[in-house]
Amino acid sequence: MRDPVWKGDGKDLRYAIIGAGMSGILAAIKLIERGERNFTVFEKGTDLGGTWRDNSYPGLTCDTPSHAYSYSFALNPQWSSYYASGPEIHEYFRKVATERGVLPHIRYQSEVTSCVFDEESATWRIGLTDGGTAEVDVVYAASGVLHHPNVPALPGLESFAGKAFHSARWDDTAVLDGTRVGVIGCGSTGIQIVNALSSRSARVVHFQRSPQWIMPVPQFPYTPEQQAEFARDPAKIEAIRHDPVYWEAVFRFTDGVTDFNSPQIAEIEEICRRNLEDSVRDPVLREKLRPNYRAACKRLIYSWEYYECVQRPAVFVETGGIERIEPAGVRMKDGTLHELDVLVLATGFKADQVIRPATCTGRDGLALDDFWAVRPTAHYAVSLPGFPNFFMLNGPTGPVGNFPLIDIAEMQWGYLEQLLEPVRQGKARSVEPTREAFDAYEARRIEAAKKTIFGSGCTSWYLDKTGIPATWPWSYQDFARAMEKPVLSEFRYSA
Ligand code: NAP
C-alpha cells in the first residue's frame, strides 16, 4: 500500500476492511463511490459472501424479505421469492461486488491475525496469515459475529461411523436422499435443515435440547411477469421495501423485544402459541415442541413450514438428553439409540469471538481481549475508546433480531462517514470515543438490555458471559436516529 498522500488540506487515507461479507462489500463499494482506491478487503476465505459462503446447507433461506435484504443502491428485480434462498443471495453479493469494482480490492486467504496501533504515526499495522503485513490509517472490522462454529464436546463424536459435520462446514459428499440423518440444534439453521430434509431423507431425527417458538410468515414466489415489472419500474420494489405492513410488524417486534412487559411482546407470544396449538395435531408432539421460556427470548424462528415438515412421517423429534455419540448413531440418556448415516451439528456459533482470535492492540498497549474481557461491545456498536480509527460494521451489541442487517450496515456507514470527515480533511489524525462517553453509554445499554425479552430467562448467543444481552436494547427506530449523526462531544479527535 502507498503512504498517505496529502492533497490540499486533506489526505488520501489508507483503509483496511476485514471480511468480504455483506458489510465488507458495502464498505468497499462506498469507498469506491467516494473515489478512494487505497484500500484492501482482507478475506480469510477463498470466496466473498461471508455467511452466505460459509452456509450452504439444504434449505438455507434468509428470513428477512428478499427486497428488504438488498443494498438500497442495488435493488434486485430478479429475486425469485419473498424470502430468498442462500445460493441466490450469495450470487447477488457476487454480482454487486463485481459490477461495483470491488473484486480487485479483495485479498483472499488473508486472515487478519493482528492489528497494532502506532501512536506516533497514527497508523494501524495489520498482520496476516499469509505472512504479509499492511499499514493503514483506518480499519473497518466487518467480520460478522457468527463465523466461528460452535462444535459441542459430545462424548464419542469422533467415533461416529457416518459423516458428522457442523452446519456451516457442510460436507457435500454426505448422502441425504433416502438415508437417516440426525440434526442437533433447533435454531434457525437446524429448523431450515429439517424442513429441507423432511421430504428427502428416509428418517430425520431432530434433537432439540430447547424447542423454539415459531412465528408463522408467508412465503411465495415472484412470477416472471412480476420480475419484469420490477425491472421496468423500480418504484414497485421500493413499494415492497417500504411496505407499511412489513415495517409496522418490524416496529411492533422491536417495541416488543425491548420491553418484556409490553403488550407487543404479549401479542407476539400469542401468535406463536396459536401457531403451535393450531398447527401440530398430535398432542404428544405438540408438548415436545412447546418451549418453556418466552417467545423471542431466543431469536424467533420465522417459518412458513416447520410445523408442517416436522409432522411428516420421516421426522422424529427427540427432546431427551444425549448420552454420547456411538459409531452407529446417537445414544440417549434413556438408553435409546438413534441409528444414523449422517449427523449434522446445527449447534450455532461462538458469537463472542467477533474478529478474534486476531489480537488487536490499541492506544497505550490496550488489548482488545482485555477491553472485551466481559463482553464484546462498542460505542453505539461501532467504535471503541482506545482504538482510534478502528470501526465495526454489524459488530457486537448492534441490533439483532429479525431486522434487515443490510439497512443496519448502511446506517452505520453513514454515521462513520460523518465521524471520519475531519480526519479525511486532514483536520485531525484520528478519532475515537472518549472513555467517559463509552462508559456512560455502556451503563445505559446494560440497564436497558436487562429489560429486553432476550434477558427474560433462556440461553442464547445473545447473552454475554454474565447473562446480560449483548445487544442493542432500544428500538430499531432509536438505532436509526442514533446513526443519523454522531454526537461529536462524545469523541476525541487527535491532532
Ligand atoms: P443457534 O440459534 O445458536 O442454535 C443452536 C442450537 O444448537 C440450539 O438449539 C442449541 O440448543 C443447540 N445446541 C448447542 N449446543 C448443543 C449441545 N451440546 N447439545 C444439544 N444441542 C445443542 O444457532 P443457529 O441455528 O446456527 O443460528 C444462529 C443465528 O444465525 C440465528 O440466531 C440467526 O441470527 C442466524 N441465522 C439466520 C438465518 C436466517 O434465516 N436469516 C438462518 C440461520 C441462521 P440450546 O438452545 O438448548 O442452547
Side-chain angles (χ1 to χ4, degrees), residues 331-370:
R331 177 76 67 183
M332 306 308 296
K333 286 193 190 306
D334 69 3
T336 308
L337 174 68
H338 292 287
E339 294 190 38
L340 300 169
D341 305 300
V342 177
L343 182 58
V344 179
L345 306 171
T347 42
F349 299 85
K350 294 174 183 161
D352 63 344
Q353 292 301 292
V354 194
I355 61 165
R356 297 178 285 183
T359 55
C360 190
T361 312
R363 206 186 276 289
D364 302 325
L366 176 61
L368 189 63
D369 265 346
D370 292 335

Side-chain angles (χ1 to χ4, degrees), residues 181-186 194 205-210 316-320 322 330-332 338 340 343-344:
V181 184
V183 178
I184 300 181
C186 61
V194 169
V205 183
H206 197 183
F207 296 92
Q208 306 200 354
R209 187 166 67 179
S210 328
F316 180 78
V317 172
E318 175 58 89
T319 52
I322 295 173
V330 177
R331 177 76 67 183
M332 306 308 296
H338 292 287
L340 300 169
L343 182 58
V344 179

Side-chain angles (χ1 to χ4, degrees), residues 398-427:
V400 291
N402 305 72
F403 306 130
L405 288 185
I406 295 189
D407 275 8
I408 302 287
E410 289 193 16
M411 287 184 220
Q412 291 177 328
W413 183 264
Y415 172 97
L416 290 174
E417 283 288 86
Q418 297 176 61
L419 202 56
L420 201 59
E421 185 58 20
V423 179
R424 272 209 316 273
Q425 290 177 359
K427 293 180 182 156

